[in-house]
Amino acid sequence: MSATPLKNRHLLGWLMAMPLSVILAAFLIAPIVMIVIVSFWGATEYSIYPAFQFDNYEFLFGSPVTYRVFGATLKYALITWALTLAIGFTVAYFLAFHVRSLTMQIALFLICTIPFWTSNIIRMISWIPFLGRNGIANQTLISWGVIDEPLEWLLYSDFSVILAFVHLYTLFMVVPIFNTMMRIDKSLLEAARDNGASGFQTLLHVILPLTKPGIMIGTIFVVTLVMGDFITVRFMSGSQRANVGRLISNDIGLLQYPSAAATAVVLLATVLIVIAILLRFVNIRKEL
Amino acid sequence: MDRRPRSFYALASFFGLFVLFLYGPILTIGILSFQGPGGGLTFPMRGVSLHWFRDLFQEQAVGDIWGAFRRSLGLGLMVMVTTVVISVMAGLAFRKRFAGSAVLFYAAITSLVIPSILISLGVGLIFQQLGLSVHWATSGFGSQLTWTLPFGLLIMFAVFNRFDKSYEEAARDQGATAWQTIRHVVLPIIAPSLIGVALFGFTLSYDEFARTLLTAGSYNTLPLEIFGMTTNVTTPVIYALGTLTTLFSFGIIAAFLLGAWIMDRRRARLGSDAGKGV
């Protein structure tokens, strides 16, 4: 193809990328544009009407609820990120450096990924028999004599929301970290050992820096999934907690689309800023 | 083999706990779905029965589960085929830099990280304003593709980054056209990875909730139906449904893995004709 003129190369590339471009234009770009437009519209109880007003944003930024909910959203994202990173790094480290045969590595890795393919909602429901008032956790603790009364905060609380997030999303941390760890040249570890580094020093000064791209990609996944989530928060908190996603879905439920759109615009801006910061640390295309 | 360090056992236990954490709850609802007719959502088991599975098969009790299942299956297959075809084409396109490729790449990344409810909201609004009615096979289908295509594309990047270009050069040197090279050299080599793309496409679609919420129209897909049940069903029938859909997902994964394994074996057997005088 080296003989093909330059113009044809661009044309061929465009033709092959055309279906992807069309879908993204129609179902990603156009919806974002639509949301931005509608965020300036007005709404009555029954309908929405085109306008150009800042009412929705004024209301959004004027309400203390907004700041509280954005705060809660960032709190969920931060705590979930820290937990999934700790667990994901440890699991990936074990698989990559302590399991010796490749077959075993792949088998154990698959075991970790399989639950990811089942329904998220089913995985959320599956916590009820564990955490409920008469659930396994409470009954076990009572029978051990640790507590006298069932713990009320196990289900329908921040605790259960974050537990579900960790349960649902740790895999998004394990996969990219494991992927980058598997590509670390083992002779580097030997070199570190030969130079007298302890296991911990090797971990800190060799493995951790080389795993950073994987950590960044996992972070992008976990942070964006948690920030955009509305169903886990609603379900696992028994509608007692809110994040931005729930704010949007509540407005949608009330047919207040312009207000939902304004909140969505602010959420999108927040997420994109976070991503832009994270992308400064890693070149995604190079790391795949 | 030298002895394992003590840290190995600590990490192995941690890994064991992690696996227990992943599977424990699912196993629990698997067990609880066999509750006796008088049993509730938690232990203890009041007898063992298939009562709740029977309950599930009586449609009027819980809404149109089977219709929802059929729609999710159909949609999953549509999304799967589309994802594989479009991802491969885009993956091939991205091997060379073309005008606008960076913009398209960032659009795909945006598609991956954008909160899914925004897609639902935006697509729903567009259809509403254009006076079109939303339907799982149109608006729902397109919305789901915004989630499956970036995954497919990323897998294609990973595949082509590891692709040995000398096979293509060899084909070209033998006089193969561009299309023949793709058809007879590139596609067979990347075929096992395409099974991965297909698996992503199908299962992401089959489980997708948020992107379908406002775009599926009046006929629910299975995740939407399950969500509806969580708000108004308070019997173990929902566990029975959970058990069945989970088993179905596992069956799908097993089928895909088996497919990948068979293709790998075929390739190992037929891949090289060196020295066979073909």
Side-chain angles (χ1 to χ4, degrees):
Chain A
M1 215 172 289
S2 49
T4 324
L6 193 69
K7 218 173 78 187
N8 278 4
R9 199 187 81 190
H10 285 287
L11 190 68
L12 195 65
W14 255 118
L15 278 177
M16 286 195 291
M18 184 65 83
L20 177 69
S21 320
V22 170
I23 301 253
L24 290 182
F27 290 95
L28 175 78
I29 309 297
I32 294 175
V33 173
M34 189 72 194
I35 288 174
V36 173
I37 294 173
V38 171
S39 72
F40 294 103
W41 285 12
T44 66
E45 263 178 65
Y46 314 102
S47 65
I48 59 178
Y49 57 90
F52 186 74
Q53 53 189 25
F54 289 88
D55 295 20
N56 302 310
Y57 289 100
E58 269 167 31
F59 181 77
L60 190 66
F61 288 111
S63 160
V65 175
T66 309
Y67 298 97
R68 213 171 49 232
V69 167
F70 266 88
T73 307
L74 291 174
K75 181 186 77 182
Y76 285 138
L78 201 66
I79 297 175
T80 309
W81 171 75
L83 291 172
T84 52
L85 176 59
I87 298 171
F89 188 89
T90 313
V91 166
Y93 177 80
F94 170 73
L95 289 178
F97 298 116
H98 280 275
V99 179
R100 282 170 182 162
S101 85
L102 184 66
T103 320
M104 199 63 184
Q105 277 176 330
I106 293 174
L108 292 179
F109 177 72
L110 277 177
I111 287 179
C112 293
T113 51
I114 284 172
F116 165 73
W117 305 106
T118 70
S119 164
N120 275 4
I121 296 177
I122 297 293
R123 290 173 72 194
M124 283 179 227
I125 297 170
S126 66
W127 280 107
I128 294 176
F130 263 91
L131 303 177
R133 205 167 186 285
N134 301 311
I136 296 175
N138 271 325
Q139 285 181 352
T140 310
L141 289 174
I142 289 174
S143 72
W144 285 351
V146 182
I147 50 171
D148 302 322
E149 289 279 296
L151 298 172
E152 298 286 352
W153 53 265
L154 285 180
L155 192 57
Y156 304 138
S157 60
D158 279 346
F159 172 80
S160 54
V161 171
I162 289 168
L163 186 75
F165 276 142
V166 172
H167 190 222
L168 295 174
Y169 300 141
T170 298
L171 188 76
F172 287 91
M173 221 27 134
V174 173
V175 173
I177 296 179
F178 178 68
N179 188 32
T180 41
M181 278 182 177
M182 288 296 277
R183 282 189 284 155
I184 293 176
D185 190 344
K186 295 282 189 291
S187 58
L188 290 174
L189 307 185
E190 270 169 46
R193 210 174 29 240
D194 291 349
N195 282 300
S198 67
F200 184 70
Q201 283 172 323
T202 312
L203 179 67
L204 203 64
H205 298 296
V206 181
I207 295 174
L208 197 61
L210 289 173
T211 313
K212 215 175 75 183
I215 293 176
M216 283 303 157
I217 292 175
T219 301
I220 290 173
F221 268 114
V222 170
V223 168
T224 54
L225 283 167
V226 172
M227 286 187 72
D229 183 277
F230 61 100
I231 182 72
T232 313
V233 175
R234 173 174 160 185
F235 194 83
M236 294 308 289
S237 79
S239 297
Q240 292 174 40
R241 296 286 190 283
N243 69 342
V244 184
R246 275 208 68 204
L247 211 58
I248 298 172
S249 81
N250 283 350
D251 274 341
I252 291 173
L254 298 169
L255 303 180
Q256 297 297 312
Y257 293 112
S259 162
T263 315
V265 169
V266 179
L267 174 64
L268 183 62
T270 316
V271 169
L272 290 182
I273 289 169
V274 171
I275 301 300
I277 294 170
L278 290 173
L279 280 180
R280 296 195 77 88
F281 295 102
V282 57
N283 180 347
I284 293 193
R285 269 187 83 170
K286 230 177 67 193
E287 297 303 335
L288 290 165
Chain B
M1 219 176 190
D2 50 343
R3 275 189 46 209
R4 301 278 196 184
R6 202 176 303 156
S7 59
F8 170 81
Y9 296 100
L11 286 167
S13 326
F14 185 86
F15 181 78
L17 285 175
F18 177 65
V19 171
L20 194 67
F21 171 66
L22 286 182
Y23 287 85
I26 301 173
L27 286 177
T28 310
I29 67 161
I31 296 169
L32 282 171
S33 59
F34 293 97
Q35 270 283 21
L41 286 171
T42 53
F43 285 107
M45 296 284 282
R46 299 188 200 284
V48 175
S49 74
L50 291 172
H51 175 85
W52 302 105
F53 289 95
R54 273 198 297 274
D55 207 44
L56 191 62
F57 281 83
Q58 290 159 358
E59 284 184 22
Q60 70 279 10
V62 286
D64 186 16
I65 290 290
W66 301 105
F69 173 73
R70 274 196 304 275
R71 285 187 284 276
S72 274
L73 195 62
L75 182 56
L77 291 173
M78 280 164 62
V79 170
M80 178 182 88
V81 172
T82 317
T83 304
V84 170
V85 172
I86 296 185
S87 302
V88 170
M89 288 176 72
L92 287 168
F94 269 107
R95 297 176 74 193
K96 299 217 171 63
R97 200 169 290 277
F98 57 93
S101 60
V103 176
L104 188 58
F105 175 73
Y106 281 108
I109 295 297
T110 308
S111 192
L112 200 63
V113 301
I114 189 173
S116 42
I117 193 169
L118 266 68
I119 298 287
S120 227
L121 175 63
V123 172
L125 282 170
I126 289 177
F127 271 65
Q128 190 188 32
Q129 291 301 313
L130 292 177
L132 302 167
S133 58
V134 286
H135 190 270
W136 58 269
T138 56
S139 48
F141 174 63
S143 305
Q144 290 196 345
L145 287 176
T146 62
W147 178 227
T148 60
L149 287 179
F151 268 110
L153 187 65
L154 289 187
I155 298 175
M156 292 323 297
F157 279 152
V159 168
F160 283 126
N161 277 353
R162 290 164 179 71
F163 190 85
D164 187 348
K165 286 203 168 82
S166 54
Y167 290 112
E168 279 172 286
E169 277 161 32
R172 267 200 300 280
D173 291 347
Q174 309 274 338
T177 63
W179 167 243
Q180 283 174 325
T181 310
I182 290 175
R183 168 74 186 79
H184 295 293
V185 178
V186 178
L187 285 183
I189 292 177
I190 64 172
S193 325
L194 297 189
I195 290 192
V197 178
L199 181 61
F200 260 97
F202 182 84
T203 48
L204 289 179
S205 157
Y206 182 70
D207 292 335
E208 181 56 38
F209 175 79
R211 280 168 211 255
T212 338
L213 182 63
L214 300 176
T215 59
S218 33
Y219 296 104
N220 276 347
T221 59
L222 196 58
L224 296 171
E225 195 73 28
I226 294 174
F227 178 70
M229 282 178 74
T230 60
T231 54
N232 55 31
V233 175
T234 51
T235 61
V237 69
I238 193 159
Y239 292 159
L241 180 60
T243 304
L244 283 185
T245 57
T246 303
L247 284 177
F248 181 77
S249 299
F250 286 179
I252 293 279
I253 305 167
F256 276 100
L257 287 178
L258 191 69
W261 182 72
I262 289 171
M263 274 177 107
D264 222 38
R265 291 244 324 214
R266 258 190 60 157
R267 198 165 56 153
R269 198 152 40 87
L270 304 171
S272 170
D273 52 15
K276 289 180 192 157
V278 177

